[in-house]
Amino acid sequence: QVQLEQSGPGLVEPSQTLSLTCAISGDSVSSNSGAWNWIRQSPSRGLEWLGRTYYKSKWYHHYAVSVKSRITINPDTSKNQFSLQLNSVTPEDTAVYYCVRGGEWGLGWYFDLWGRGTLVTVSS
Amino acid sequence: QSVLTQPPSVSGAPGQRVTISCTGSTSNIGANYDVHWYQQLPGTAPKLLIYGNSNRPSGVPDRFSGSKSGTSASLAITGLQAEDEADYYCQSYDNSLTGYVFGTGTKVTVL
């Protein structure tokens, strides 16, 4: 059974860096058939895809235009996990953050396995 | 922020059929990108309900069905049950934004 276990602080100060980690069990971050995503949800912005990393003979990274200048998603093959770093956060970044596995289908990908979510509040 | 539009709410009595629309544009659904649907029960993460416009993952009841036409897609729930009360979201890819996009979400209420 594949599981995603999220960890990281629930409170981040404005202008600081938000850092979350997602540990994978039952699958591999280096799998050729999956992509590892971060998605957030807030009342004001709804569900928002932030970015992903995946391996198909080499590592790929793909980020949403809205956060592209501030985001890094990295795989850690030694620990079978992946991480999110979001720099220069503001209160607008307050949301529930999910790590999510993506599956490829035709034109586009779907999201078939979600972590439990981490509420991150940006506040001083 | 959401580029896929859904009705805020739909409701129906137990046993009835309800449908949820998902309206996009020529840069997402209309560009032939597949549509996927998710169910989110209160206090939980979204769960994949329909993938590739009309396919159900293992374990999803056949009361749920999806379709797509032009720049829109629909989710139908037949034989509505109390446990279907949840928020539902559509999702696709947008080639203008070069990223994955979600619908605004629809709350289903069982009367």
Side-chain angles (χ1 to χ4, degrees):
Chain A
Q1 183 182 357
V2 184
Q3 289 187 318
L4 302 176
E5 189 69 36
Q6 301 180 216
S7 60
L11 180 64
V12 181
E13 292 190 355
S15 79
Q16 298 303 302
T17 297
L18 181 160
S19 296
L20 296 173
T21 299
C22 183
I24 304 164
S25 57
D27 200 346
S28 172
V29 71
S30 305
S31 165
N32 273 288
S33 61
W36 305 97
N37 302 261
W38 288 97
I39 293 170
R40 67 182 179 184
Q41 184 175 29
S42 65
S44 60
R45 302 172 73 92
L47 282 165
E48 182 182 12
W49 174 80
L50 298 177
R52 66 179 179 178
T53 185
Y54 62 97
Y55 185 80
K56 279 189 185 288
S57 301
K58 68 174 186 177
W59 286 102
Y60 292 86
H61 305 273
H62 182 196
Y63 300 128
V65 170
S66 60
V67 294
K68 193 170 187 176
S69 64
R70 301 191 290 133
I71 190 173
T72 303
I73 296 175
N74 277 329
D76 183 341
T77 56
S78 65
K79 296 181 179 178
N80 200 31
Q81 64 186 29
F82 63 108
S83 63
L84 166 69
Q85 285 199 315
L86 189 64
N87 302 324
S88 306
V89 297
T90 71
E92 281 255 312
D93 295 309
T94 294
V96 175
Y97 286 75
Y98 295 100
C99 61
V100 185
R101 184 179 71 180
E104 193 169 17
W105 179 267
L107 282 182
W109 294 60
Y110 55 78
F111 304 114
D112 66 343
L113 183 69
W114 297 62
R116 288 190 168 188
T118 301
L119 173 59
V120 178
T121 302
V122 179
S123 174
S124 54
Chain B
Q1 182 72 9
S2 300
V3 300
L4 304 179
T5 303
Q6 300 177 231
S9 63
V10 299
S11 61
Q16 282 191 329
R17 179 180 187 269
V18 297
T19 61
I20 301 170
S21 61
C22 174
T23 302
S25 68
T26 54
S27 63
N28 42 67
I29 299 174
N32 209 29
Y33 292 104
D34 291 311
V35 178
H36 319 290
W37 291 89
Y38 302 85
Q39 178 193 60
Q40 186 174 30
L41 298 171
T44 69
K47 167 194 164 187
L48 181 65
L49 196 65
I50 297 285
Y51 67 93
N53 306 314
S54 59
N55 301 281
R56 286 185 307 277
S58 173
V60 172
D62 59 7
R63 303 184 290 105
F64 295 94
S65 62
S67 63
K68 175 189 153 187
S69 178
T71 58
S72 296
S74 289
L75 173 72
I77 310 174
T78 57
L80 196 62
Q81 298 183 6
E83 66 206 51
D84 300 332
E85 207 164 81
D87 294 325
Y88 293 81
Y89 297 89
C90 58
Q91 174 250 313
S92 187
Y93 180 83
D94 190 285
N95 60 24
S96 175
L97 297 172
T98 60
Y100 294 93
V101 291
F102 287 90
T104 48
T106 298
K107 182 174 182 58
V108 169
T109 301
V110 182
L111 302 172

